[in-house]
Amino acid sequence: YHFTETDIRYTASKKMSFDLLAKLEANLAGAKASQYTNLDFLYFYLGHQAAQNNQGDRSLYYYNQLTAEKTKALFLNSFNPDFAFQFVALAIADLTKFNHPAEADRMVKFFNGKVNRSTLYAYAASELLLQGINDSRTDQLIDSASAQAAQTRNLTTVQVNRIHLAYALAIRDRNSDVN
């Protein structure tokens, strides 16, 4: 299923329903399957789908199942680490949307690199802004992205965090953001 979803333009598949995935997760949780396998992609899918359905409590439940070790393993064992990174950023946006900034920060801290942290905050801010959420929650994400970006000094390589931050600032569209 993960392969089909990330490679959707090459396949003709129908997404699994949220209810089906939720039942699958409930059965796996009852069997304590997370002790034996990494279910973090399932939790990312469910958390994001719950957020899209405006079910903040369910979204929080699924995102609380994520662990730093298993999330990092998604990057090592994935054929597409950008896909996993995008899911983390979406989770941060979803948690922030439903006023769970401490949980969002917990996820950001799964990563040590300032560029990664800055990118996650900026991407999450962009996601909220694209949903029409332009308030203190997005301001906090942009401020955090800026603070992390300011701590990076190696400007000899492309730093995607600065691109995402500029994008978020452009979407926010405030005169004070023009610097």
Side-chain angles (χ1 to χ4, degrees):
Y1 182 71
H2 169 64
F3 178 78
T4 300
E5 286 303 302
T6 60
D7 210 21
I8 194 77
R9 68 188 119 154
Y10 301 112
T11 61
S13 70
K14 181 179 175 185
K15 282 190 172 190
M16 291 175 126
S17 74
F18 174 73
D19 292 332
L20 178 64
L21 288 175
K23 287 177 187 175
L24 174 64
E25 187 277 332
N27 286 334
L28 291 170
K32 300 191 185 321
S34 64
Q35 294 176 359
Y36 309 106
T37 190
N38 188 344
L39 299 176
D40 276 13
F41 269 131
L42 177 63
Y43 293 127
F44 278 119
Y45 277 115
L46 286 169
H48 187 58
Q49 287 183 358
Q52 288 181 318
N53 294 336
N54 216 22
Q55 298 174 351
D57 291 339
R58 275 184 101 176
S59 182
L60 178 63
Y61 165 77
Y62 293 125
Y63 288 142
N64 276 336
Q65 306 309 308
L66 300 167
T67 65
E69 310 81 50
K70 289 184 178 181
T71 297
K72 287 179 182 179
L74 298 179
F75 292 88
L76 299 174
N77 300 323
S78 177
F79 61 90
N80 187 351
D82 291 341
F83 181 75
F85 196 79
Q86 181 182 15
F87 255 129
V88 175
L90 290 173
I92 292 163
D94 294 339
L95 289 165
T96 302
K97 174 181 177 180
F98 293 110
N99 297 310
H100 299 292
E103 287 302 314
D105 284 338
R106 176 184 76 91
M107 273 198 202
V108 172
K109 291 178 182 168
F110 287 177
F111 302 89
N112 296 326
K114 303 292 185 196
V115 172
N116 288 340
R117 288 181 177 186
S118 178
T119 302
L120 289 168
Y121 282 127
Y123 190 101
S126 297
E127 283 297 314
L128 292 181
L129 288 163
L130 290 171
Q131 294 174 31
I133 300 171
N134 189 353
D135 57 24
S136 62
R137 294 171 290 181
T138 53
D139 292 345
Q140 185 177 359
L141 290 170
I142 288 172
D143 291 346
S144 295
S146 298
Q148 293 291 321
Q151 294 178 23
T152 60
R153 299 288 178 231
N154 181 6
L155 299 178
T156 60
T157 61
V158 174
Q159 293 183 359
V160 72
N161 61 324
R162 296 179 190 280
I163 296 167
H164 282 289
L165 181 55
Y167 183 60
L169 292 171
I171 298 170
R172 187 167 73 171
D173 193 26
R174 292 189 187 155
N175 288 337
S176 60
D177 292 336
V178 179
N179 287 333

